[in-house]
């Protein structure tokens, strides 16, 4: 039988493409001889997907499609109902970027607390304008205690000597304690957190989870970091709290609209550090995401 055809719409780590090529006929949707979906839809058996959309109409035109292997997590771009109807397997790589996102969360905490954004912009006498704070001895509140939050908790507690409180309605208290954090309900986390970091998925239940009342409940001078998903943190409320001088700063890797427009008012806030969803953009995470997605394709089509 001929090797199954795998289509890769956007660039992924080249090692994964090489390995896939030994097991499948690989067609790339990018580079000099880019092959569009239309040209492969009749034969395509597997798709290695980053953030592109695969809707029901595309699937219906792909009768041989058996697997969509997502590089990373988040399946909001895939029509899961149609995939189920056609018996198409959909996979993700949920652990591949955990460490990278956790490290990025810590980077944002430090950047905000030490005025790195202000220093890099270099306006005026930044040296005397910057009055940083140490993380040692401070309290970190975590909303959600899944994979990323656990790594953040370990680094914060062991690396910086922070006290860590965590709220997660699903994770047993014993698991939170074992990871070096203290379980607490959300109001108790907010009341104590001079640093708040969000690690929940975006669902109807978490949209707007941290709005004006939650920000007001934080101690004055608190810092909020969001590396989870835009929409969980209410940006209007964040801006208002910063302008009122209640929050000392914020670090955002994700925003409701990405990339955040150049003229967005949050960009003009001196104590806000914004990165363009780069939490998983490391050599290691990109390699692991591509390698794991390639594994899923090879195993499923082999
Ligand atoms: P995970 O599934 O391991 O953990 C999420 C946790 O959130 C779960 O334990 C769940 O019980 C908890 N949760 C759900 N609703 C909650 C609520 N209302 N209150 C408190 N806890 C709640 O996920 P993860 O791998 O740790 O990822 C966390 C988030 O980070 C996800 O939203 C993911 O999309 C995002 N993420 C961002 C990047 C990036 O590039 N910035 C990369 C990967 C993941």
């Amino acid at each position: 039988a001929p090797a199954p055809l795998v289509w890769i719409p956007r660039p992924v780590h080249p090692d994964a493409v090489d390995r896939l090529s030994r097991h499948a006929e690989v067609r790339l949707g990018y580079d000099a001889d880019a092959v569009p979906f239309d040209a492969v839809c009749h034969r395509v058996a597997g798709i290695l997907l980053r953030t592109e959309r695969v809707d029901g109409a595309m699937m219906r035109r792909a009768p041989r499609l058996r697997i969509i292997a997502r590089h990373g997590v988040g399946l909001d771009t895939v029509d899961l109902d149609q995939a189920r109807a056609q018996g198409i397997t959909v996979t993700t790589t949920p652990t591949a970027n955990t460490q990278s996102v956790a490290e990025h969360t810590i980077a944002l905490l430090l950047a905000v607390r030490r005025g790195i954004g202000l220093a890099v912009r270099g306006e005026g006498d930044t040296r005397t304008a910057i009055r940083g704070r140490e993380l040692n001895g401070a309290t970190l509140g975590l909303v959600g205690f899944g994979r990323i939050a656990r790594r953040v908790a370990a680094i914060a507690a062991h690396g910086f000597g922070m006290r860590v409180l965590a709220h997660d309605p699903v994770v047993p208290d014993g698991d939170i304690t074992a990871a070096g954090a203290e379980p607490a309900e959300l109001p108790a986390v907010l009341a104590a957190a001079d640093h708040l970091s969000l690690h929940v998925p975006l669902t109807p239940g978490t949209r707007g989870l941290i709005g004006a009342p939650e920000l007001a409940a934080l101690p004055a001078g608190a810092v909020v970091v969001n590396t989870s998903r835009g929409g969980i943190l209410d940006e209007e409320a964040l801006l208002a709290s910063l302008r009122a001088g209640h929050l000392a700063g914020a670090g955002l890797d994700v925003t409701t609209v990405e990339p955040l427009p150049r003229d967005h008012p949050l960009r003009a806030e001196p104590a806000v550090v914004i990165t363009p969803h780069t939490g998983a953009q490391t050599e290691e995470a990109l390699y692991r995401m591509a390698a794991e997605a390639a594994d899923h394709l090879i195993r499923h089509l082999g």
Side-chain angles (χ1 to χ4, degrees):
L5 192 144
V6 169
W7 184 62
I8 309 179
R10 288 279 175 276
V12 297
H13 199 287
D15 289 2
V17 179
D18 287 349
R19 210 156 71 74
L20 262 176
S21 302
R22 292 195 287 276
H23 299 266
E25 186 182 332
V26 175
R27 291 281 181 278
L28 305 178
Y30 54 93
D31 276 0
D33 20 57
V35 179
F37 182 73
D38 287 344
V40 294
C41 65
H42 299 292
R43 285 186 52 216
V44 69
I47 299 177
L48 200 170
L49 196 70
R50 285 191 71 163
T51 55
E52 308 74 42
R53 184 160 294 280
V54 180
D55 58 23
M58 289 171 74
M59 291 183 208
R60 280 190 290 274
R61 278 155 52 218
R64 297 194 189 176
L65 186 57
R66 285 159 55 202
I67 174 168
I68 297 169
R70 171 81 160 82
H71 176 289
V73 288
L75 290 171
D76 41 308
T77 58
V78 178
D79 184 335
L80 294 176
D81 291 332
Q82 185 60 27
R84 205 170 302 119
Q86 286 183 221
I88 299 166
T89 297
V90 181
T91 63
T92 61
T93 62
T95 60
N97 54 25
T98 301
Q99 180 67 20
S100 289
V101 180
E103 291 187 15
H104 197 76
T105 303
I106 299 291
L108 287 176
L109 269 180
L110 287 168
V112 174
R113 271 304 183 207
R114 301 306 292 272
I116 305 284
L118 209 60
V120 169
R121 268 172 259 148
E123 292 148 9
D125 183 0
T126 41
R127 180 158 190 268
T128 45
I130 289 170
R131 250 323 157 269
R133 297 291 303 268
E134 292 182 350
L135 297 181
N136 181 252
T139 299
L140 173 64
L142 300 173
V143 183
F145 202 67
R147 289 173 290 257
I148 296 169
R150 282 166 214 226
R151 289 303 307 146
V152 171
I155 300 167
H158 302 136
F160 293 104
M162 297 184 88
R163 175 188 182 207
V164 182
L165 297 181
H167 169 65
D168 191 312
V170 173
V171 176
D173 286 359
D175 290 10
I176 295 180
T177 314
E182 299 164 42
E185 291 303 319
L186 186 58
V189 170
L190 297 173
D194 38 45
H195 302 76
L196 185 76
S197 188
L198 311 181
H199 300 284
V200 296
L202 179 60
T203 64
T206 62
R207 187 176 291 279
L209 183 66
I210 304 301
E214 289 74 24
L215 295 176
L218 292 169
V223 161
V224 176
V225 166
N226 187 13
T227 58
S228 61
R229 280 289 180 269
I232 294 165
L233 174 62
D234 180 332
E235 287 159 8
E236 293 297 314
L238 176 69
L239 193 61
S241 183
L242 288 161
R243 286 179 172 168
H246 179 63
L247 288 182
L252 307 175
D253 189 46
V254 289
T255 47
T256 310
V257 177
E258 293 181 9
L260 195 67
R262 279 280 133 217
D263 58 355
H264 193 285
L266 277 171
R267 289 198 188 274
E269 286 298 311
V272 175
V273 175
I274 297 167
T275 52
H277 207 139
T278 50
Q281 293 288 110
T282 63
E283 183 65 21
E284 291 82 2
L286 291 168
Y287 172 78
R288 283 194 295 264
M289 287 190 282
E292 287 178 23
D295 276 348
H296 293 149
L297 287 159
I298 290 165
R299 240 180 292 137
H300 203 83
L301 298 174

